[in-house]
Each structure stands twice: as C-alpha cells, then as structure tokens.
Amino acid sequence: MNITVIGTGYVGLVTGACFSKMGHKVYCVDVDEKKINGLKNGVLPIFEPHLGTIVKNSQEKGDLIFTTEIGEALDNTKIIFIAVGTPMAEDGSANLDYIFSAASDIANNITQDSLVIIKSTVPIGTCFKVKEHIESILEKNNSNIKIEIASNPEFLKEGRAVEDCMHPDRVVIGAQKAEVFDTMKDLYSSFIFNHDRFILMDIKSSEMTKYVANAMLATKISFMNEIANICEVTGANIQQVRLGIGSDKRIGYDFIYAGCGYGGSCFPKDVQALINTAESNGYEPKILSKVEEVNINQKQVLVNKVIKRFGEDLSNLFFSVWGLSFKPGTDDVREATSLVVIKELINHNAKIKAYDPQAMDEFKKSIPSEYLDSIEFVNNRYDALDECDALILITEWKEFRNPDFELLSEKMNQKIIFDGRNIYDKKIKNQGFELYQIGC
C-alpha cells in the first residue's frame, strides 16, 4: 500500500519508517523544511535505537520519501495518518492546532476518496470533529471526494519504539464501518500474524483507550512513590515491599518501582488532558488529580534529601548528576525530573557537573539559559565526579548500574550518593559511602 504520514515527530517518524520496512511506500510529510532536509540526509531529530538504520535503508530502496509538499504525497496515497503533536495547553487541555492544520491541508490537497487515521493522542470526540472539518472544506471546494475516519492510537515506548511498532502487543482500531476495519487489518497484516491482537471498537472508546493506558501506568508509579514515602517515615523498605506485592500475579512487577517521578511527552500531558476532559464534562477526577500532585511533589524528593544533608545554602558545593533524560534509551527531557532537580539545586547556589549518554544537547535547549552558567557538561560519567561533593543519580542508564566505586572514592570530595532510582545495593555502605534512596 501507499501511505502518507503527516508529522515526522516521534510517532510519525517511527510509524512511517516501520511501515516502509514492511514494503509499503510511505510519504512522510512535515512543514519543517530543516527537519525534512535533515531526514533526507540521514539526520534524525530524535534518538531511538535501530530507527536510523531503517530510515537509511528504506530511503535507499525508495520506500520512504520525506517531503514538505503534502500535495505530492496525497496524489499517490489513499491512506493518511495524522501523527502531529498535541502539546499541553495552559489550561491542561490538549492543543489541537496541529491536528486541525493537518486536516485543512488534507481537505485542500486530497485528490481521491481516502481513509484518514488519527494516530496522535487526542481528546475523546476529536476524530468526528476532524471528519466534519475536512468535509466542510471539501463542500466549500465543491468536491465530491469522500473520506472515512479511524482512530488508531500508538502505544510506543521511547527507547523501544521500533520493537513496539514492529511487534505490537495489540493494535487498537476505532471505526464506524466494517470496510474500514478490514482496510486497517490489511494495513497491519505484516506486523500481526495473530488476529487476536486486533482490538476493534468504536472511535470514542479507541480515543479514550490511549489516555486510560497512560493514566493507569502513571497511577501505578505515583501510587508506589506514595507508598515509598510512607515506608520512609515508618522505617519499612520499599524494595522489599515491591517484591512482596509484585509476586502477586494480579499486581505484577511492571511499573511498581519507586523513584523520583515520571516525565516524558506522554504521562504528564495525557494525565492532565484526561483531568481536563473529565472536568469539562462536569466530573471531578479525584484519583487522577492526586496522581498528578504526587508526581509533582516526587520530583522534589531528591532536592529535599540534598538540603536535609547539606543545608539550605549549597554555595561552594559541586554535585555530579548522572542522567538527564526522563528515562533510559531516549534523549527526551520533556518534563524530566532532572530539570526540576538541577534548577532547584542551582537556586540554592549549587554548582552542577552533568552527564547523560544521549540527552545533554536536548537538556541544554530545555533548561532556561540563566541556569547554564552553573552547569558543566562532561562527556564521560567519571569526569562528572571530579571534586564533587555528592553524586545524584536521576536516570537509570545501564552504564550507571555497576560503577567503579573505588574510582568514585578517589574522585569525589565526599562519598555521598543520592540514588533516585534505587539501583544501588546497600552493600556500598560497607565501602564508606553515605547512600540516600527513595523509600529505603
């Protein structure tokens, strides 16, 4: 099949690349000419394992075409994915400007009956509004072209997005007509040999499914962080509690690790958008509101521990920060705990030496410029330790899991570690380190 994907951000680029790998001809469209030119030359705007190889190979085969000309793409395709961003607006709702801009572009350039598929995360009812928007423009243009609409939310995990796209655990499809479901099944047939993985539903339920999936995972994280804080004030150990409850198959071990808060482009935005949706429909979402509140507070936990140990004035103290991305395997720092921790430490007059294997450039763009003079970025995790007074671990990249503690002892002014992800064994205390963890 020939496919158009509008938007070459995280979702659009991964989706387009993976469909092209399966032999489909894919046109990836974006209004950002600089980004498109970069992609044509193999420069990816994001870090995602294996994605660069797929993009390179598919371009060489002619199966993946990057363009700013939507007309070129729509002339050759009848299947159109909208995969543009839906950033959080000031009131917490999803900003749909990019969605409706893409819809207008489709309506003004479409040349044949087509299926429009919303892959972006959008509030409930958006698909119908997009269909109405496109049809109203077509009517004004005296066009007889017909469109169908479908919801096909993405469930990609950053750092594993290619694997998730190529081997999905489910494909959720929301549509109104049997023929649309059939088209979507054909489209995904090369990814799914087990038809039980197709989950077919109405459009609004499909839109809701994406929000609920992220809200549920965020809830598990905030719940465990709340329990970790209770453990800390009562003398219990969250690591042992986690093992005790995770062995229950009804609970499981996924997403029950205590830490210093969640971030990224999805959980914070989608929880807030679902809260906004509930409130705009006259319902008060008490649990979701607390999930958000707990997470905001959890990002301050490491700062509070540092201040409790060193005092309010951190002048003349250097802190090494390991990990800037919101999770391992990505360069994404949106809503990352590192932004909160580093800004707060600098506000207390601290100096920072920071290292991340992928996210330092993105971090420099994301933190307000007035903080940069207080941060030294280094290219090796051990270089960040020179003359530092404490190590603060925020992101649990694999290379941080088993450091050379003898080398840490030699480099650091004080043998103090604030472990925001509970990855270090308390045995390191036997080597003279002070270890501060979450809920332990």
Side-chain angles (χ1 to χ4, degrees), residues 82 99-100 103-104 106-107 114-118 125-139 145-150 175-177 180 203 207:
I82 296 179
I99 293 286
F100 284 101
S104 297
I106 291 169
S114 299
L115 171 61
V116 177
I117 305 158
I118 307 286
T126 300
C127 284
F128 292 121
K129 293 177 182 178
V130 167
K131 187 172 189 290
E132 291 172 3
H133 183 76
I134 293 173
E135 288 176 340
S136 68
I137 295 175
L138 290 172
E139 185 177 352
I145 291 173
K146 304 294 183 185
I147 67 158
E148 296 294 340
I149 197 81
Q176 294 177 292
K177 296 182 179 180
V180 174
I203 287 175
E207 292 170 327

PDB file of all heavy atoms in Angstrom, residues 82 99-100 103-104 106-107 114-118 125-139 145-150 175-177 180 203 207:
ATOM      1  N   ILE A  82      -2.542  10.952  10.498  1.00  0.00           N
ATOM      2  CA  ILE A  82      -2.206  12.208  11.154  1.00  0.00           C
ATOM      3  C   ILE A  82      -1.455  11.855  12.433  1.00  0.00           C
ATOM      4  O   ILE A  82      -2.002  11.207  13.331  1.00  0.00           O
ATOM      5  CB  ILE A  82      -3.451  13.051  11.470  1.00  0.00           C
ATOM      6  CG1 ILE A  82      -4.152  13.466  10.175  1.00  0.00           C
ATOM      7  CG2 ILE A  82      -3.067  14.282  12.285  1.00  0.00           C
ATOM      8  CD1 ILE A  82      -5.419  14.299  10.398  1.00  0.00           C
ATOM      9  N   ILE A  99      -3.428  19.389  14.722  1.00  0.00           N
ATOM     10  CA  ILE A  99      -4.369  18.403  14.188  1.00  0.00           C
ATOM     11  C   ILE A  99      -5.247  19.039  13.118  1.00  0.00           C
ATOM     12  O   ILE A  99      -5.389  18.519  11.994  1.00  0.00           O
ATOM     13  CB  ILE A  99      -5.243  17.815  15.313  1.00  0.00           C
ATOM     14  CG1 ILE A  99      -4.409  16.966  16.280  1.00  0.00           C
ATOM     15  CG2 ILE A  99      -6.401  17.000  14.719  1.00  0.00           C
ATOM     16  CD1 ILE A  99      -3.984  15.633  15.754  1.00  0.00           C
ATOM     17  N   PHE A 100      -5.840  20.188  13.447  1.00  0.00           N
ATOM     18  CA  PHE A 100      -6.769  20.808  12.503  1.00  0.00           C
ATOM     19  C   PHE A 100      -6.034  21.485  11.347  1.00  0.00           C
ATOM     20  O   PHE A 100      -6.589  21.605  10.241  1.00  0.00           O
ATOM     21  CB  PHE A 100      -7.687  21.783  13.237  1.00  0.00           C
ATOM     22  CG  PHE A 100      -8.762  21.080  14.022  1.00  0.00           C
ATOM     23  CD1 PHE A 100      -8.644  20.913  15.395  1.00  0.00           C
ATOM     24  CD2 PHE A 100      -9.863  20.525  13.374  1.00  0.00           C
ATOM     25  CE1 PHE A 100      -9.614  20.235  16.109  1.00  0.00           C
ATOM     26  CE2 PHE A 100     -10.835  19.844  14.081  1.00  0.00           C
ATOM     27  CZ  PHE A 100     -10.719  19.688  15.460  1.00  0.00           C
ATOM     28  N   ALA A 103      -5.614  18.615   9.090  1.00  0.00           N
ATOM     29  CA  ALA A 103      -6.907  18.302   8.472  1.00  0.00           C
ATOM     30  C   ALA A 103      -7.220  19.275   7.336  1.00  0.00           C
ATOM     31  O   ALA A 103      -7.718  18.871   6.267  1.00  0.00           O
ATOM     32  CB  ALA A 103      -8.004  18.348   9.529  1.00  0.00           C
ATOM     33  N   SER A 104      -6.928  20.553   7.544  1.00  0.00           N
ATOM     34  CA  SER A 104      -7.151  21.548   6.486  1.00  0.00           C
ATOM     35  C   SER A 104      -6.280  21.256   5.273  1.00  0.00           C
ATOM     36  O   SER A 104      -6.740  21.358   4.117  1.00  0.00           O
ATOM     37  CB  SER A 104      -6.859  22.957   7.018  1.00  0.00           C
ATOM     38  OG  SER A 104      -7.740  23.311   8.055  1.00  0.00           O
ATOM     39  N   ILE A 106      -5.136  18.391   4.339  1.00  0.00           N
ATOM     40  CA  ILE A 106      -5.693  17.218   3.661  1.00  0.00           C
ATOM     41  C   ILE A 106      -6.867  17.626   2.778  1.00  0.00           C
ATOM     42  O   ILE A 106      -6.938  17.273   1.592  1.00  0.00           O
ATOM     43  CB  ILE A 106      -6.143  16.158   4.693  1.00  0.00           C
ATOM     44  CG1 ILE A 106      -4.934  15.549   5.396  1.00  0.00           C
ATOM     45  CG2 ILE A 106      -6.970  15.061   4.017  1.00  0.00           C
ATOM     46  CD1 ILE A 106      -5.282  14.686   6.601  1.00  0.00           C
ATOM     47  N   ALA A 107      -7.796  18.391   3.360  1.00  0.00           N
ATOM     48  CA  ALA A 107      -9.003  18.777   2.625  1.00  0.00           C
ATOM     49  C   ALA A 107      -8.683  19.584   1.376  1.00  0.00           C
ATOM     50  O   ALA A 107      -9.349  19.450   0.343  1.00  0.00           O
ATOM     51  CB  ALA A 107      -9.926  19.570   3.543  1.00  0.00           C
ATOM     52  N   SER A 114     -10.459   8.758   0.457  1.00  0.00           N
ATOM     53  CA  SER A 114      -9.345   8.345   1.308  1.00  0.00           C
ATOM     54  C   SER A 114      -9.816   7.998   2.719  1.00  0.00           C
ATOM     55  O   SER A 114     -10.912   8.377   3.144  1.00  0.00           O
ATOM     56  CB  SER A 114      -8.286   9.457   1.393  1.00  0.00           C
ATOM     57  OG  SER A 114      -7.747   9.764   0.133  1.00  0.00           O
ATOM     58  N   LEU A 115      -8.942   7.286   3.403  1.00  0.00           N
ATOM     59  CA  LEU A 115      -9.132   6.968   4.815  1.00  0.00           C
ATOM     60  C   LEU A 115      -8.153   7.806   5.626  1.00  0.00           C
ATOM     61  O   LEU A 115      -6.936   7.718   5.421  1.00  0.00           O
ATOM     62  CB  LEU A 115      -8.891   5.475   5.067  1.00  0.00           C
ATOM     63  CG  LEU A 115      -8.839   5.015   6.531  1.00  0.00           C
ATOM     64  CD1 LEU A 115     -10.154   5.305   7.243  1.00  0.00           C
ATOM     65  CD2 LEU A 115      -8.485   3.531   6.613  1.00  0.00           C
ATOM     66  N   VAL A 116      -8.670   8.618   6.544  1.00  0.00           N
ATOM     67  CA  VAL A 116      -7.847   9.447   7.424  1.00  0.00           C
ATOM     68  C   VAL A 116      -7.797   8.775   8.789  1.00  0.00           C
ATOM     69  O   VAL A 116      -8.842   8.499   9.395  1.00  0.00           O
ATOM     70  CB  VAL A 116      -8.411  10.870   7.543  1.00  0.00           C
ATOM     71  CG1 VAL A 116      -7.573  11.701   8.519  1.00  0.00           C
ATOM     72  CG2 VAL A 116      -8.452  11.536   6.172  1.00  0.00           C
ATOM     73  N   ILE A 117      -6.590   8.525   9.266  1.00  0.00           N
ATOM     74  CA  ILE A 117      -6.390   7.784  10.512  1.00  0.00           C
ATOM     75  C   ILE A 117      -5.691   8.696  11.517  1.00  0.00           C
ATOM     76  O   ILE A 117      -4.598   9.200  11.242  1.00  0.00           O
ATOM     77  CB  ILE A 117      -5.528   6.522  10.268  1.00  0.00           C
ATOM     78  CG1 ILE A 117      -6.132   5.660   9.171  1.00  0.00           C
ATOM     79  CG2 ILE A 117      -5.352   5.725  11.557  1.00  0.00           C
ATOM     80  CD1 ILE A 117      -5.129   4.718   8.511  1.00  0.00           C
ATOM     81  N   ILE A 118      -6.316   8.904  12.657  1.00  0.00           N
ATOM     82  CA  ILE A 118      -5.710   9.734  13.701  1.00  0.00           C
ATOM     83  C   ILE A 118      -4.859   8.841  14.597  1.00  0.00           C
ATOM     84  O   ILE A 118      -5.379   7.987  15.317  1.00  0.00           O
ATOM     85  CB  ILE A 118      -6.774  10.442  14.555  1.00  0.00           C
ATOM     86  CG1 ILE A 118      -7.761  11.205  13.686  1.00  0.00           C
ATOM     87  CG2 ILE A 118      -6.095  11.362  15.573  1.00  0.00           C
ATOM     88  CD1 ILE A 118      -7.252  12.455  13.082  1.00  0.00           C
ATOM     89  N   GLY A 125     -13.720  12.378  20.997  1.00  0.00           N
ATOM     90  CA  GLY A 125     -14.576  13.106  20.074  1.00  0.00           C
ATOM     91  C   GLY A 125     -13.835  13.845  18.986  1.00  0.00           C
ATOM     92  O   GLY A 125     -14.456  14.373  18.045  1.00  0.00           O
ATOM     93  N   THR A 126     -12.503  13.875  19.062  1.00  0.00           N
ATOM     94  CA  THR A 126     -11.709  14.641  18.092  1.00  0.00           C
ATOM     95  C   THR A 126     -11.831  14.083  16.683  1.00  0.00           C
ATOM     96  O   THR A 126     -11.901  14.842  15.700  1.00  0.00           O
ATOM     97  CB  THR A 126     -10.231  14.686  18.513  1.00  0.00           C
ATOM     98  OG1 THR A 126     -10.114  15.313  19.785  1.00  0.00           O
ATOM     99  CG2 THR A 126      -9.398  15.450  17.502  1.00  0.00           C
ATOM    100  N   CYS A 127     -11.855  12.766  16.543  1.00  0.00           N
ATOM    101  CA  CYS A 127     -11.935  12.172  15.197  1.00  0.00           C
ATOM    102  C   CYS A 127     -13.161  12.664  14.440  1.00  0.00           C
ATOM    103  O   CYS A 127     -13.077  13.006  13.256  1.00  0.00           O
ATOM    104  CB  CYS A 127     -11.960  10.647  15.297  1.00  0.00           C
ATOM    105  SG  CYS A 127     -10.358   9.896  15.648  1.00  0.00           S
ATOM    106  N   PHE A 128     -14.296  12.708  15.124  1.00  0.00           N
ATOM    107  CA  PHE A 128     -15.512  13.178  14.466  1.00  0.00           C
ATOM    108  C   PHE A 128     -15.391  14.654  14.082  1.00  0.00           C
ATOM    109  O   PHE A 128     -15.859  15.073  13.015  1.00  0.00           O
ATOM    110  CB  PHE A 128     -16.715  12.965  15.382  1.00  0.00           C
ATOM    111  CG  PHE A 128     -17.056  11.512  15.598  1.00  0.00           C
ATOM    112  CD1 PHE A 128     -17.050  10.980  16.868  1.00  0.00           C
ATOM    113  CD2 PHE A 128     -17.371  10.690  14.531  1.00  0.00           C
ATOM    114  CE1 PHE A 128     -17.354   9.646  17.077  1.00  0.00           C
ATOM    115  CE2 PHE A 128     -17.675   9.347  14.718  1.00  0.00           C
ATOM    116  CZ  PHE A 128     -17.670   8.819  16.007  1.00  0.00           C
ATOM    117  N   LYS A 129     -14.767  15.442  14.947  1.00  0.00           N
ATOM    118  CA  LYS A 129     -14.576  16.862  14.639  1.00  0.00           C
ATOM    119  C   LYS A 129     -13.653  17.043  13.439  1.00  0.00           C
ATOM    120  O   LYS A 129     -13.865  17.933  12.607  1.00  0.00           O
ATOM    121  CB  LYS A 129     -14.022  17.592  15.856  1.00  0.00           C
ATOM    122  CG  LYS A 129     -14.989  17.667  17.026  1.00  0.00           C
ATOM    123  CD  LYS A 129     -14.350  18.348  18.238  1.00  0.00           C
ATOM    124  CE  LYS A 129     -15.307  18.383  19.423  1.00  0.00           C
ATOM    125  NZ  LYS A 129     -14.678  18.994  20.630  1.00  0.00           N
ATOM    126  N   VAL A 130     -12.625  16.215  13.338  1.00  0.00           N
ATOM    127  CA  VAL A 130     -11.713  16.284  12.193  1.00  0.00           C
ATOM    128  C   VAL A 130     -12.441  15.912  10.916  1.00  0.00           C
ATOM    129  O   VAL A 130     -12.278  16.569   9.872  1.00  0.00           O
ATOM    130  CB  VAL A 130     -10.496  15.359  12.431  1.00  0.00           C
ATOM    131  CG1 VAL A 130      -9.699  15.169  11.136  1.00  0.00           C
ATOM    132  CG2 VAL A 130      -9.598  15.923  13.518  1.00  0.00           C
ATOM    133  N   LYS A 131     -13.249  14.877  10.976  1.00  0.00           N
ATOM    134  CA  LYS A 131     -14.020  14.467   9.794  1.00  0.00           C
ATOM    135  C   LYS A 131     -14.946  15.596   9.348  1.00  0.00           C
ATOM    136  O   LYS A 131     -15.021  15.915   8.143  1.00  0.00           O
ATOM    137  CB  LYS A 131     -14.820  13.207  10.099  1.00  0.00           C
ATOM    138  CG  LYS A 131     -15.525  12.585   8.890  1.00  0.00           C
ATOM    139  CD  LYS A 131     -16.133  11.240   9.262  1.00  0.00           C
ATOM    140  CE  LYS A 131     -16.643  10.489   8.032  1.00  0.00           C
ATOM    141  NZ  LYS A 131     -17.826  11.110   7.429  1.00  0.00           N
ATOM    142  N   GLU A 132     -15.643  16.200  10.295  1.00  0.00           N
ATOM    143  CA  GLU A 132     -16.537  17.309   9.961  1.00  0.00           C
ATOM    144  C   GLU A 132     -15.756  18.482   9.365  1.00  0.00           C
ATOM    145  O   GLU A 132     -16.221  19.126   8.413  1.00  0.00           O
ATOM    146  CB  GLU A 132     -17.285  17.767  11.214  1.00  0.00           C
ATOM    147  CG  GLU A 132     -18.299  16.757  11.739  1.00  0.00           C
ATOM    148  CD  GLU A 132     -18.880  17.166  13.083  1.00  0.00           C
ATOM    149  OE1 GLU A 132     -18.513  18.274  13.568  1.00  0.00           O
ATOM    150  OE2 GLU A 132     -19.666  16.396  13.649  1.00  0.00           O
ATOM    151  N   HIS A 133     -14.579  18.739   9.917  1.00  0.00           N
ATOM    152  CA  HIS A 133     -13.751  19.849   9.429  1.00  0.00           C
ATOM    153  C   HIS A 133     -13.318  19.610   7.985  1.00  0.00           C
ATOM    154  O   HIS A 133     -13.421  20.523   7.146  1.00  0.00           O
ATOM    155  CB  HIS A 133     -12.523  19.982  10.336  1.00  0.00           C
ATOM    156  CG  HIS A 133     -11.631  21.126   9.993  1.00  0.00           C
ATOM    157  ND1 HIS A 133     -11.945  22.438  10.298  1.00  0.00           N
ATOM    158  CD2 HIS A 133     -10.421  21.163   9.367  1.00  0.00           C
ATOM    159  CE1 HIS A 133     -10.974  23.226   9.874  1.00  0.00           C
ATOM    160  NE2 HIS A 133     -10.031  22.485   9.313  1.00  0.00           N
ATOM    161  N   ILE A 134     -12.869  18.418   7.701  1.00  0.00           N
ATOM    162  CA  ILE A 134     -12.435  18.099   6.336  1.00  0.00           C
ATOM    163  C   ILE A 134     -13.619  18.167   5.375  1.00  0.00           C
ATOM    164  O   ILE A 134     -13.528  18.754   4.281  1.00  0.00           O
ATOM    165  CB  ILE A 134     -11.773  16.707   6.289  1.00  0.00           C
ATOM    166  CG1 ILE A 134     -10.455  16.712   7.080  1.00  0.00           C
ATOM    167  CG2 ILE A 134     -11.520  16.273   4.838  1.00  0.00           C
ATOM    168  CD1 ILE A 134      -9.817  15.340   7.221  1.00  0.00           C
ATOM    169  N   GLU A 135     -14.730  17.593   5.782  1.00  0.00           N
ATOM    170  CA  GLU A 135     -15.899  17.564   4.896  1.00  0.00           C
ATOM    171  C   GLU A 135     -16.448  18.963   4.641  1.00  0.00           C
ATOM    172  O   GLU A 135     -16.929  19.258   3.536  1.00  0.00           O
ATOM    173  CB  GLU A 135     -16.976  16.662   5.502  1.00  0.00           C
ATOM    174  CG  GLU A 135     -16.619  15.182   5.431  1.00  0.00           C
ATOM    175  CD  GLU A 135     -17.624  14.282   6.119  1.00  0.00           C
ATOM    176  OE1 GLU A 135     -18.399  14.779   6.972  1.00  0.00           O
ATOM    177  OE2 GLU A 135     -17.643  13.073   5.814  1.00  0.00           O
ATOM    178  N   SER A 136     -16.352  19.839   5.623  1.00  0.00           N
ATOM    179  CA  SER A 136     -16.847  21.205   5.407  1.00  0.00           C
ATOM    180  C   SER A 136     -16.003  21.939   4.373  1.00  0.00           C
ATOM    181  O   SER A 136     -16.543  22.698   3.548  1.00  0.00           O
ATOM    182  CB  SER A 136     -16.861  21.976   6.732  1.00  0.00           C
ATOM    183  OG  SER A 136     -15.544  22.222   7.198  1.00  0.00           O
ATOM    184  N   ILE A 137     -14.693  21.709   4.402  1.00  0.00           N
ATOM    185  CA  ILE A 137     -13.811  22.336   3.409  1.00  0.00           C
ATOM    186  C   ILE A 137     -14.041  21.733   2.037  1.00  0.00           C
ATOM    187  O   ILE A 137     -14.079  22.448   1.022  1.00  0.00           O
ATOM    188  CB  ILE A 137     -12.332  22.196   3.836  1.00  0.00           C
ATOM    189  CG1 ILE A 137     -12.076  22.974   5.122  1.00  0.00           C
ATOM    190  CG2 ILE A 137     -11.396  22.678   2.727  1.00  0.00           C
ATOM    191  CD1 ILE A 137     -10.683  22.805   5.687  1.00  0.00           C
ATOM    192  N   LEU A 138     -14.199  20.416   1.973  1.00  0.00           N
ATOM    193  CA  LEU A 138     -14.480  19.761   0.694  1.00  0.00           C
ATOM    194  C   LEU A 138     -15.772  20.304   0.085  1.00  0.00           C
ATOM    195  O   LEU A 138     -15.853  20.522  -1.132  1.00  0.00           O
ATOM    196  CB  LEU A 138     -14.578  18.243   0.886  1.00  0.00           C
ATOM    197  CG  LEU A 138     -13.272  17.505   1.202  1.00  0.00           C
ATOM    198  CD1 LEU A 138     -13.555  16.048   1.546  1.00  0.00           C
ATOM    199  CD2 LEU A 138     -12.296  17.588   0.032  1.00  0.00           C
ATOM    200  N   GLU A 139     -16.772  20.519   0.933  1.00  0.00           N
ATOM    201  CA  GLU A 139     -18.047  21.050   0.440  1.00  0.00           C
ATOM    202  C   GLU A 139     -17.864  22.464  -0.109  1.00  0.00           C
ATOM    203  O   GLU A 139     -18.414  22.805  -1.176  1.00  0.00           O
ATOM    204  CB  GLU A 139     -19.068  21.050   1.578  1.00  0.00           C
ATOM    205  CG  GLU A 139     -20.460  21.480   1.151  1.00  0.00           C
ATOM    206  CD  GLU A 139     -21.464  21.408   2.284  1.00  0.00           C
ATOM    207  OE1 GLU A 139     -21.119  20.882   3.359  1.00  0.00           O
ATOM    208  OE2 GLU A 139     -22.600  21.904   2.087  1.00  0.00           O
ATOM    209  N   ILE A 145     -15.260  14.302  -3.266  1.00  0.00           N
ATOM    210  CA  ILE A 145     -14.400  13.307  -2.602  1.00  0.00           C
ATOM    211  C   ILE A 145     -15.006  12.916  -1.256  1.00  0.00           C
ATOM    212  O   ILE A 145     -15.507  13.754  -0.513  1.00  0.00           O
ATOM    213  CB  ILE A 145     -12.981  13.869  -2.420  1.00  0.00           C
ATOM    214  CG1 ILE A 145     -12.290  14.011  -3.777  1.00  0.00           C
ATOM    215  CG2 ILE A 145     -12.149  12.988  -1.484  1.00  0.00           C
ATOM    216  CD1 ILE A 145     -10.960  14.715  -3.720  1.00  0.00           C
ATOM    217  N   LYS A 146     -14.943  11.621  -0.960  1.00  0.00           N
ATOM    218  CA  LYS A 146     -15.454  11.093   0.291  1.00  0.00           C
ATOM    219  C   LYS A 146     -14.287  10.646   1.179  1.00  0.00           C
ATOM    220  O   LYS A 146     -13.282  10.130   0.683  1.00  0.00           O
ATOM    221  CB  LYS A 146     -16.383   9.893   0.042  1.00  0.00           C
ATOM    222  CG  LYS A 146     -17.544  10.186  -0.890  1.00  0.00           C
ATOM    223  CD  LYS A 146     -18.508  11.192  -0.290  1.00  0.00           C
ATOM    224  CE  LYS A 146     -19.706  11.420  -1.217  1.00  0.00           C
ATOM    225  NZ  LYS A 146     -20.606  12.490  -0.692  1.00  0.00           N
ATOM    226  N   ILE A 147     -14.446  10.855   2.481  1.00  0.00           N
ATOM    227  CA  ILE A 147     -13.420  10.354   3.401  1.00  0.00           C
ATOM    228  C   ILE A 147     -14.075   9.514   4.488  1.00  0.00           C
ATOM    229  O   ILE A 147     -15.242   9.678   4.815  1.00  0.00           O
ATOM    230  CB  ILE A 147     -12.619  11.508   4.059  1.00  0.00           C
ATOM    231  CG1 ILE A 147     -13.513  12.320   5.003  1.00  0.00           C
ATOM    232  CG2 ILE A 147     -11.953  12.380   3.034  1.00  0.00           C
ATOM    233  CD1 ILE A 147     -12.739  13.080   6.056  1.00  0.00           C
ATOM    234  N   GLU A 148     -13.283   8.596   5.010  1.00  0.00           N
ATOM    235  CA  GLU A 148     -13.640   7.855   6.210  1.00  0.00           C
ATOM    236  C   GLU A 148     -12.611   8.211   7.281  1.00  0.00           C
ATOM    237  O   GLU A 148     -11.489   8.633   6.966  1.00  0.00           O
ATOM    238  CB  GLU A 148     -13.647   6.349   5.954  1.00  0.00           C
ATOM    239  CG  GLU A 148     -14.682   5.888   4.950  1.00  0.00           C
ATOM    240  CD  GLU A 148     -16.114   6.097   5.427  1.00  0.00           C
ATOM    241  OE1 GLU A 148     -16.319   6.245   6.659  1.00  0.00           O
ATOM    242  OE2 GLU A 148     -17.012   6.146   4.575  1.00  0.00           O
ATOM    243  N   ILE A 149     -12.992   8.028   8.523  1.00  0.00           N
ATOM    244  CA  ILE A 149     -12.118   8.375   9.638  1.00  0.00           C
ATOM    245  C   ILE A 149     -11.924   7.162  10.537  1.00  0.00           C
ATOM    246  O   ILE A 149     -12.829   6.335  10.682  1.00  0.00           O
ATOM    247  CB  ILE A 149     -12.699   9.556  10.452  1.00  0.00           C
ATOM    248  CG1 ILE A 149     -11.645  10.200  11.355  1.00  0.00           C
ATOM    249  CG2 ILE A 149     -13.907   9.126  11.246  1.00  0.00           C
ATOM    250  CD1 ILE A 149     -10.738  11.162  10.648  1.00  0.00           C
ATOM    251  N   ALA A 150     -10.734   7.048  11.113  1.00  0.00           N
ATOM    252  CA  ALA A 150     -10.450   5.962  12.053  1.00  0.00           C
ATOM    253  C   ALA A 150      -9.525   6.480  13.144  1.00  0.00           C
ATOM    254  O   ALA A 150      -8.749   7.409  12.938  1.00  0.00           O
ATOM    255  CB  ALA A 150      -9.814   4.769  11.344  1.00  0.00           C
ATOM    256  N   ALA A 175     -13.417   2.576  14.584  1.00  0.00           N
ATOM    257  CA  ALA A 175     -14.006   2.927  13.294  1.00  0.00           C
ATOM    258  C   ALA A 175     -15.513   2.739  13.349  1.00  0.00           C
ATOM    259  O   ALA A 175     -16.061   2.222  14.334  1.00  0.00           O
ATOM    260  CB  ALA A 175     -13.399   2.088  12.177  1.00  0.00           C
ATOM    261  N   GLN A 176     -16.185   3.157  12.270  1.00  0.00           N
ATOM    262  CA  GLN A 176     -17.642   3.060  12.196  1.00  0.00           C
ATOM    263  C   GLN A 176     -18.111   2.013  11.198  1.00  0.00           C
ATOM    264  O   GLN A 176     -19.243   1.548  11.295  1.00  0.00           O
ATOM    265  CB  GLN A 176     -18.229   4.426  11.802  1.00  0.00           C
ATOM    266  CG  GLN A 176     -18.051   5.535  12.829  1.00  0.00           C
ATOM    267  CD  GLN A 176     -18.578   6.855  12.330  1.00  0.00           C
ATOM    268  OE1 GLN A 176     -18.030   7.446  11.398  1.00  0.00           O
ATOM    269  NE2 GLN A 176     -19.654   7.340  12.947  1.00  0.00           N
ATOM    270  N   LYS A 177     -17.251   1.654  10.243  1.00  0.00           N
ATOM    271  CA  LYS A 177     -17.675   0.767   9.161  1.00  0.00           C
ATOM    272  C   LYS A 177     -16.786  -0.469   9.071  1.00  0.00           C
ATOM    273  O   LYS A 177     -15.576  -0.390   9.311  1.00  0.00           O
ATOM    274  CB  LYS A 177     -17.647   1.517   7.827  1.00  0.00           C
ATOM    275  CG  LYS A 177     -18.627   2.679   7.754  1.00  0.00           C
ATOM    276  CD  LYS A 177     -18.589   3.346   6.385  1.00  0.00           C
ATOM    277  CE  LYS A 177     -19.589   4.485   6.294  1.00  0.00           C
ATOM    278  NZ  LYS A 177     -19.551   5.141   4.952  1.00  0.00           N
ATOM    279  N   VAL A 180     -13.692  -0.242   6.873  1.00  0.00           N
ATOM    280  CA  VAL A 180     -12.552   0.472   7.457  1.00  0.00           C
ATOM    281  C   VAL A 180     -11.744  -0.476   8.346  1.00  0.00           C
ATOM    282  O   VAL A 180     -10.509  -0.500   8.284  1.00  0.00           O
ATOM    283  CB  VAL A 180     -13.018   1.696   8.260  1.00  0.00           C
ATOM    284  CG1 VAL A 180     -11.829   2.342   8.982  1.00  0.00           C
ATOM    285  CG2 VAL A 180     -13.674   2.714   7.331  1.00  0.00           C
ATOM    286  N   ILE A 203     -15.040   4.583  17.831  1.00  0.00           N
ATOM    287  CA  ILE A 203     -13.993   5.605  17.745  1.00  0.00           C
ATOM    288  C   ILE A 203     -13.730   6.283  19.089  1.00  0.00           C
ATOM    289  O   ILE A 203     -12.572   6.446  19.495  1.00  0.00           O
ATOM    290  CB  ILE A 203     -14.354   6.653  16.669  1.00  0.00           C
ATOM    291  CG1 ILE A 203     -14.181   6.032  15.273  1.00  0.00           C
ATOM    292  CG2 ILE A 203     -13.495   7.913  16.799  1.00  0.00           C
ATOM    293  CD1 ILE A 203     -14.617   6.920  14.125  1.00  0.00           C
ATOM    294  N   GLU A 207     -10.173   6.387  21.264  1.00  0.00           N
ATOM    295  CA  GLU A 207      -9.503   7.606  21.730  1.00  0.00           C
ATOM    296  C   GLU A 207      -9.283   7.561  23.246  1.00  0.00           C
ATOM    297  O   GLU A 207      -8.223   7.937  23.747  1.00  0.00           O
ATOM    298  CB  GLU A 207     -10.341   8.832  21.358  1.00  0.00           C
ATOM    299  CG  GLU A 207     -10.408   9.102  19.854  1.00  0.00           C
ATOM    300  CD  GLU A 207     -11.433  10.155  19.494  1.00  0.00           C
ATOM    301  OE1 GLU A 207     -12.482  10.255  20.178  1.00  0.00           O
ATOM    302  OE2 GLU A 207     -11.211  10.901  18.520  1.00  0.00           O
TER     303      GLU A 207
END
